[in-house]
Amino acid sequence: MSAHAVRVWDVFAGAGAMTHAMGEAIRARGARCEVVALVESASAERMVLADRYPGVWTPGDVGQLARLPRAEVGLAGYPCPGNSPLSTRFGGARGAEHPATRMVSQLLRLLDGEAPPVLVLENTTGCLSSPGGGGEQSGGDDPGEGGFFRWLSRRLAAAGYTHGEWRTLCTSSATPAYSRSRVFLVAWMAPACLSGVLLGCEGASEPARGD
C-alpha cells in the first residue's frame, strides 16, 4: 500500500526551509509529502526552489495570484521587517504600518478560497508585540502593543481556523550556525485535524497544547 499523500504549499517560501522541515515531519509520520506550490518573488531563491523541487509550480508575485492549489497544509514565513527590531530600531514603520509586513494580508486573501485545514506561520518574535494599523483588511485598527497579532488571530478565526497554538523556538536547535528566535503559529480547523491530515484517518486525537 502506498503512503498517504499530504499536499503542501508554501507562500513566501524563501529557499524552502519550512517546506523541507514540514516534509521531514510528514515522512516521520509515515506519510508522503507532495509539494504543490512554492510562492517566492526573489529570483535567486526561486532558482534554489527549482533545483530542489523540480516541476513544482513556483509563481513569483503572491499579489497576482487568484488562488492556490488544494492542499492539506499551508506554510508561510511572511515578511518580517515591520516586526523585526533590526528594521524598526531607527524609527522605521512597525507592524502592519510596514508595507512588507502588510503582505500577510495577501496570504489571508487567498485563504478566502479553499483554505488548507492546517496552516503554519513563522515570523520574528516582534510579531507578538507590534501594533496594528491600516484598517481591518491590512492590519487592523488596534494601534496598541500586540495589535498586529490580535488582528492576525481574528482574521485566521474568520477563515475557519478555530484552533491554534504558538511557540517561540530558537533556530540554532536546527541550524547551529544561525541563532535567532522565531514564533511559529499553528492553526487548524478541527480538533482532530492535525493528526488526521498526517495519518489520513478520521477521529485522531487532538494534539497537545504548546507552552
Side-chain angles (χ1 to χ4, degrees), residues 122-185:
E122 176 271 336
N123 210 256
T124 65
T125 55
C127 72
L128 301 175
S129 58
S130 291
E136 188 59 27
Q137 296 304 309
S138 60
D141 293 315
D142 184 350
E145 182 171 319
F148 174 81
F149 198 73
R150 288 190 290 272
W151 165 79
L152 180 60
S153 299
R154 290 197 305 273
R155 290 295 303 274
L156 291 176
Y161 294 99
T162 54
H163 298 69
E165 296 290 342
W166 62 267
R167 181 174 295 184
T168 301
L169 301 174
C170 184
T171 58
S172 62
S173 61
T175 307
Y178 182 76
S179 180
R180 293 288 188 277
S181 293
R182 291 291 184 268
V183 171
F184 288 85
L185 169 64

Side-chain angles (χ1 to χ4, degrees), residues 111 113-119 156 159-164 187-194:
L111 295 179
E114 188 170 2
V118 177
L119 184 68
L156 291 176
Y161 294 99
T162 54
H163 298 69
W188 63 98
M189 292 185 172
C193 194
L194 284 177

Side-chain angles (χ1 to χ4, degrees), residues 52-73:
R52 291 179 175 175
Y53 300 95
V56 174
W57 185 43
T58 55
D61 187 354
V62 65
Q64 297 299 314
L65 293 180
R67 59 178 298 174
L68 287 164
R70 183 180 179 185
E72 284 73 50
V73 178

